[in-house]
Amino acid sequence: MKLQQLRYICEVANHDLNVSATAQSLFTSQPGISKQIRLLEEELGVEVFARNGKHLVSITPAGEEVLRVASEILHKVDAIKQISQEFSDETKGVLSIATTHTQARYVLPPIINQFMSEYPEVSLQMQQGTPAQIAEMAAGGDVDFAIATEGLEHFSNLLLMPCYQWNRAVIVPKDHPLAQLDGPLTLAELARHPIVTYVFGFTGRSRLDEAFEQEGLSPKVVFTAADADVIKTYVRLGLGVGIVADMAHDPQTDGDLVTVNASHLFSPSVTSIAFRRGTFLRGYMYRFVNLFAPHLSREVIGKFLRSQGRAEAERIFESVDVPLL
């Protein structure tokens, strides 16, 4: 059994069983990959992939288990490589992050600017996606860190560390009736207007829905988007009242919009940074986490790394004093 063979079967699975596409991504030949997969199956005595002629059509039950273990082995191999890199030069390397538009656009820029000034020889790679996509990338080892508010908790092999709490703001044009309120905004008043907000599963949308349900209200959500900038565009067009993460309002670029405080209407949400259990964190990775969430010191991060099982990790999560952004 060779590491190359394990890498081949994992990559074939990641490329939807397309051996040709796998060969192109690995800069090798299709017959070479097919041959190594066959040799591995013969050694194991089971088929990893079911076939129809020469074509792979599905992953067998035995193959599912083989792929799970193979993925863990390859992840450990990568960790060993990172350990050697850390001791040879802790200022060089790659840091890959998956996050949502809101984090990438409104929260991360100053953090990344500071990080790159401290580690100019670290290559920083950022990917955007839905919370589910982000969590899957981290759980599969495709990125080092995932930063999101929802979706991370569904993957048991991820360690979640709380970074900050945040709430929502209502955004309206300056001449909108909600901009002229004398007192605090109520959910009943808000529900009387068409609403433009995030799609379900994005940026704490679940807390918004819960608040209306608890009051027995059915808001008229007329438009949803994953991008706060898109939401603001349609608020400007008069489509409805916008409900966005409060950090998504920029006084400089959004001077034509008014924010109405809504923090008393909704429970705060917590944005977390997650990484795969068993990951070796290099020195610059600790630094990135600390820049993003100063309360997550190396000592606190170490507690998460040493946690045995999800229950213990969740207890540590709950014990952390999470600041309000």
Side-chain angles (χ1 to χ4, degrees), residues 157-229:
N157 67 335
L158 290 181
L159 285 170
L160 276 63
M161 299 185 296
C163 296
Y164 63 85
Q165 299 183 71
W166 58 272
N167 217 308
R168 292 138 193 85
V170 170
I171 53 171
V172 293
K174 290 182 177 180
D175 59 352
H176 193 278
L178 292 185
Q180 319 302 324
L181 290 177
D182 292 329
L185 177 65
T186 65
L187 281 175
E189 177 65 31
L190 186 56
R192 283 195 280 270
H193 299 270
I195 291 174
V196 181
T197 191
Y198 299 106
V199 298
F200 190 80
F202 260 84
T203 319
R205 167 66 190 273
S206 59
R207 295 296 176 89
L208 186 152
D209 293 336
E210 289 168 3
F212 282 110
E213 288 174 5
Q214 289 173 0
E215 294 294 319
L217 298 170
S218 298
K220 184 182 179 182
V221 178
V222 296
F223 183 87
T224 60
D227 185 326
D229 290 336

Side-chain angles (χ1 to χ4, degrees), residues 1-2 4-6 8-10 12-13 17 19 33-64 66-67:
M1 187 184 305
K2 303 175 182 177
Q4 182 190 54
Q5 294 171 331
L6 301 183
Y8 282 172
I9 62 172
C10 288
V12 166
L17 309 187
V19 180
I33 290 179
S34 298
K35 178 182 178 181
Q36 290 302 321
I37 292 176
R38 276 296 190 189
L39 288 173
L40 177 62
E41 290 177 325
E42 289 174 5
E43 181 180 350
L44 296 176
V46 295
E47 285 192 332
V48 176
F49 303 107
R51 294 166 173 80
N52 182 5
K54 294 183 178 180
H55 299 287
L56 306 183
V57 294
S58 65
I59 301 171
T60 66
E64 294 282 359
V66 171
L67 284 164

Side-chain angles (χ1 to χ4, degrees), residues 293-323:
H295 62 285
L296 293 177
S297 63
R298 194 161 186 144
E299 179 183 0
V300 174
I301 297 170
K303 291 181 180 179
F304 282 97
L305 288 170
R306 293 189 298 271
S307 63
Q308 300 296 316
R310 187 159 192 172
E312 182 180 353
E314 289 178 349
R315 286 195 293 271
I316 298 171
F317 186 106
E318 294 169 359
S319 69
V320 174
D321 187 15
V322 187

Side-chain angles (χ1 to χ4, degrees), residues 118-183:
E118 294 183 17
Y119 296 93
E121 295 190 78
V122 172
S123 175
L124 187 59
Q125 302 171 354
M126 184 181 295
Q127 300 186 50
Q128 287 181 221
T130 68
Q133 290 169 336
I134 291 164
E136 189 170 348
M137 281 188 272
D142 298 318
V143 295
D144 298 311
F145 293 137
I147 301 173
T149 300
E150 301 195 18
L152 301 174
E153 69 281 0
H154 299 307
F155 290 82
S156 60
N157 67 335
L158 290 181
L159 285 170
L160 276 63
M161 299 185 296
C163 296
Y164 63 85
Q165 299 183 71
W166 58 272
N167 217 308
R168 292 138 193 85
V170 170
I171 53 171
V172 293
K174 290 182 177 180
D175 59 352
H176 193 278
L178 292 185
Q180 319 302 324
L181 290 177
D182 292 329

